Amino acid sequence: MSTVAGPLELRPDEVHVWIVEPERILEPKLLDAYWGLLDADERAKQKRFRFERHQKQYLVSHALVRLTLSRYAPVAPSAWSFSTNAYGRPEVKGEWGAHLRFNLSHTDGMALVAVGLDAELGADVEDAERHGETVEIADHFFAKPEVAALRALPAAEQRGRFFEYWTLKESYIKARGAGLSLPLDQFAFHLEAGKEPRISFDARMVDTPETWRFMQLRPSTRHQAAVAMRGARDRPFRVSWRFTVPLESDGPPRVEDA
């Protein structure tokens, strides 16, 4: 197994996204190594999942967080400690917590962790092939401009656009650290081909569109992802993302510039 090298350089106008596919990791030695990185609370939570695939998703994704953070700071992966805010968002404790920000998201087939500096940060990944309602959810919970734009598309394109909206909205509320206490119908995303997603707010929302940056990612034909970071729109914004098998190998980086 390879060791974690670091520290990597991370600029304030940049987000790094590390992506893993838990179901593809089959080597027992790797999984045992991941288990050895978790703390007692994480191990207890992992065991509470009923299905083996969910236990594995939790194990791999939380090991990914620890190993990824150690790429940017001289802290052993097992030594990181975390706190949660009032809405349950995990944050780094200790001296690095003031500067190093991260956000974890996982779904069937994929997990990712986004890392940034000194700014509110959120990320989301969704399995766009999952079963269940999609457009019908938008009708009841999305902002009116989003519903209108969604329904104006050909029927065959509506499901894909739903997940674009959903991941962007999730990335924003996760960056705000307030979860679903933020009403989904009080902010809207506006999507134009070849342009960075824009956000607008209902008068009831206390926020400013010009202070947010967003990037959409399509890490596989099955998965849709989005990253949100608080930052002025007149500044550069870059998202670098790559696949990894933690403790084994990293794929080549891909860079998206706004």
Side-chain angles (χ1 to χ4, degrees), residues 18-38:
W18 298 83
I19 303 172
V20 66
E21 297 172 290
E23 287 83 351
R24 294 180 180 269
I25 300 177
L26 304 175
E27 187 178 344
K29 287 185 178 180
L30 273 179
L31 298 172
D32 289 344
Y34 299 161
W35 176 259
L37 299 178
L38 305 189

Side-chain angles (χ1 to χ4, degrees), residues 228-242:
M229 186 177 191
R230 189 182 285 278
R233 293 190 68 88
D234 60 352
R235 293 178 58 191
F237 180 52
R238 169 175 290 187
V239 175
S240 174
W241 59 281
R242 70 176 75 192

Side-chain angles (χ1 to χ4, degrees), residues 122-126 142 146 160-176 184 187-192 195-199 201 212-217 224-229 233 237:
D124 187 55
V125 62
E126 299 291 339
F142 284 10
E146 293 169 328
R161 180 55 58 90
F162 168 84
F163 281 104
E164 290 190 68
Y165 283 139
W166 184 264
T167 51
L168 285 164
K169 291 172 91 70
E170 281 281 333
S171 71
Y172 170 72
I173 64 176
K174 291 176 73 178
R176 285 284 304 270
L184 296 179
F187 61 97
F189 281 93
H190 309 274
L191 305 180
E192 295 181 59
K195 295 185 178 182
E196 182 181 346
R198 295 183 300 105
I199 193 171
F201 296 106
W212 287 98
R213 308 301 300 271
F214 299 94
M215 189 73 74
Q216 294 177 277
L217 307 177
Q224 179 72 42
V227 174
M229 186 177 191
R233 293 190 68 88
F237 180 52

Side-chain angles (χ1 to χ4, degrees), residues 20 22 25 31 34 55-65 246:
V20 66
I25 300 177
L31 298 172
Y34 299 161
Q55 291 180 351
K56 188 174 185 180
Q57 288 171 8
Y58 184 95
L59 170 64
V60 174
S61 62
H62 284 75
L64 173 69
V65 168

Side-chain angles (χ1 to χ4, degrees), residues 206-220:
V206 182
D207 211 336
T208 307
E210 292 75 18
T211 63
W212 287 98
R213 308 301 300 271
F214 299 94
M215 189 73 74
Q216 294 177 277
L217 307 177
R218 195 67 192 265
S220 80

Side-chain angles (χ1 to χ4, degrees), residues 9-188:
E9 182 180 358
L10 185 60
R11 302 197 312 263
D13 60 358
E14 177 175 58
V15 177
H16 290 180
V17 179
W18 298 83
I19 303 172
V20 66
E21 297 172 290
E23 287 83 351
R24 294 180 180 269
I25 300 177
L26 304 175
E27 187 178 344
K29 287 185 178 180
L30 273 179
L31 298 172
D32 289 344
Y34 299 161
W35 176 259
L37 299 178
L38 305 189
D39 63 24
D41 288 342
E42 289 170 321
R43 291 177 180 180
K45 290 178 182 177
Q46 193 262 1
K47 289 182 177 180
R48 286 199 290 268
F49 285 98
R50 179 178 178 184
F51 297 109
E52 183 178 352
R53 68 187 179 96
H54 293 147
Q55 291 180 351
K56 188 174 185 180
Q57 288 171 8
Y58 184 95
L59 170 64
V60 174
S61 62
H62 284 75
L64 173 69
V65 168
R66 291 175 169 275
L67 288 160
T68 298
L69 291 174
S70 291
R71 296 177 186 267
Y72 302 94
V75 178
S78 61
W80 291 101
S81 59
F82 307 97
S83 60
T84 55
N85 73 0
Y87 299 95
R89 182 180 68 179
E91 299 169 348
V92 173
K93 289 176 65 175
E95 65 171 304
W96 290 97
H99 302 291
L100 193 56
R101 309 295 176 87
F102 78 95
N103 201 236
L104 171 67
S105 180
H106 56 83
T107 187
D108 283 347
M110 187 170 288
L112 62 78
V113 60
V115 185
L117 292 177
D118 299 315
E120 296 177 47
L121 174 68
D124 187 55
V125 62
E126 299 291 339
D127 177 4
E129 294 181 357
R130 74 186 187 202
H131 298 295
E133 293 184 337
T134 53
V135 180
E136 296 79 10
I137 293 174
D139 288 338
H140 290 96
F141 297 104
F142 284 10
K144 290 181 179 179
E146 293 169 328
V147 176
L150 187 61
R151 287 299 189 182
L153 292 173
E157 298 177 20
Q158 291 182 13
R159 183 179 177 87
R161 180 55 58 90
F162 168 84
F163 281 104
E164 290 190 68
Y165 283 139
W166 184 264
T167 51
L168 285 164
K169 291 172 91 70
E170 281 281 333
S171 71
Y172 170 72
I173 64 176
K174 291 176 73 178
R176 285 284 304 270
L180 289 174
S181 67
L182 297 177
L184 296 179
D185 63 346
Q186 291 186 18
F187 61 97

